[in-house]
Amino acid sequence: MSFFLKRVHDRAEAEDLTQDTFARLLGGEARQSGLHAGYIFQIAANLLRDRARHGRVRSDQADAVRQLYGQSVDFLDPERIAAARSVMAQLLRSLGDLPVRTRAIFILSRVENIEKKAIAESFGISPSAVEKHVARAMSHLMACARGMNR
């Protein structure tokens, strides 16, 4: 255990590594007689290397997440998920306030990315009328978003 304490500086970790050493020793070639201390310390050194590799992998993974998302918190932070759900619920309520035709045109244009000309033909209106419906919907949604931020 003192071998590990000098290297990990954490008593609980040293105890765990000592136990793992004896588990490997007794589970493997320990049944052979005449094992020497060098063999035990080799097992201990291998456990330390495994621990270091494991720590590097976790550190590399955390660095990759930070690099991808530009922050040190986990991207699946429960608080952020709850806030996003709240915003989505408000957006759906705001969409529900729109007239049916305006809502349908907005969803087809902005969510489904259907061309204005195709939307205009399916509703029997001009492409400029489609733009006006989308602008009206955007104006309403922006007003609702501003009211939410107050």
Side-chain angles (χ1 to χ4, degrees):
M1 192 159 129
S2 65
F3 174 82
F4 290 122
L5 278 173
K6 289 177 186 174
R7 289 157 178 82
V8 296
H9 308 291
D10 179 7
R11 185 164 186 80
E13 184 72 20
E15 288 173 353
D16 288 345
L17 289 167
T18 301
Q19 182 176 351
D20 289 344
T21 300
F22 284 110
R24 284 189 183 183
L25 181 68
L26 297 174
E29 299 174 22
R31 295 186 180 111
Q32 295 177 3
S33 62
L35 287 178
H36 54 86
Y39 181 72
I40 294 171
F41 283 105
Q42 185 61 51
I43 292 172
N46 289 343
L47 283 170
L48 280 174
R49 279 190 215 98
D50 290 347
R51 178 181 177 267
R53 277 190 218 115
H54 183 73
R56 273 196 308 275
V57 168
R58 284 187 176 225
S59 176
D60 291 348
Q61 193 269 343
D63 289 344
V65 168
R66 270 189 231 93
Q67 192 174 28
L68 281 174
Y69 297 98
Q71 52 195 358
S72 62
V73 294
D74 190 359
F75 66 101
L76 294 177
D77 178 28
E79 186 175 329
R80 289 181 57 202
I81 292 171
R85 285 182 178 160
S86 174
V87 169
M88 286 300 296
Q90 178 61 38
L91 175 66
L92 291 173
R93 282 192 296 276
S94 298
L95 278 172
D97 294 342
L98 291 170
V100 175
R101 187 176 186 141
T102 301
R103 180 176 53 237
I105 291 172
F106 174 79
I107 290 172
L108 290 171
S109 176
R110 293 298 176 114
V111 177
E112 300 294 331
N113 291 324
I114 297 176
E115 292 183 17
K116 290 177 185 149
K117 185 177 178 182
I119 296 170
E121 288 174 3
S122 67
F123 280 90
I125 58 176
S126 68
S128 68
V130 170
E131 289 176 10
K132 289 177 185 173
H133 279 284
V134 171
R136 193 175 307 129
M138 285 298 293
S139 176
H140 174 72
L141 294 174
M142 292 301 289
C144 290
R146 279 191 295 274
M148 219 174 89
N149 290 333
R150 291 181 185 165

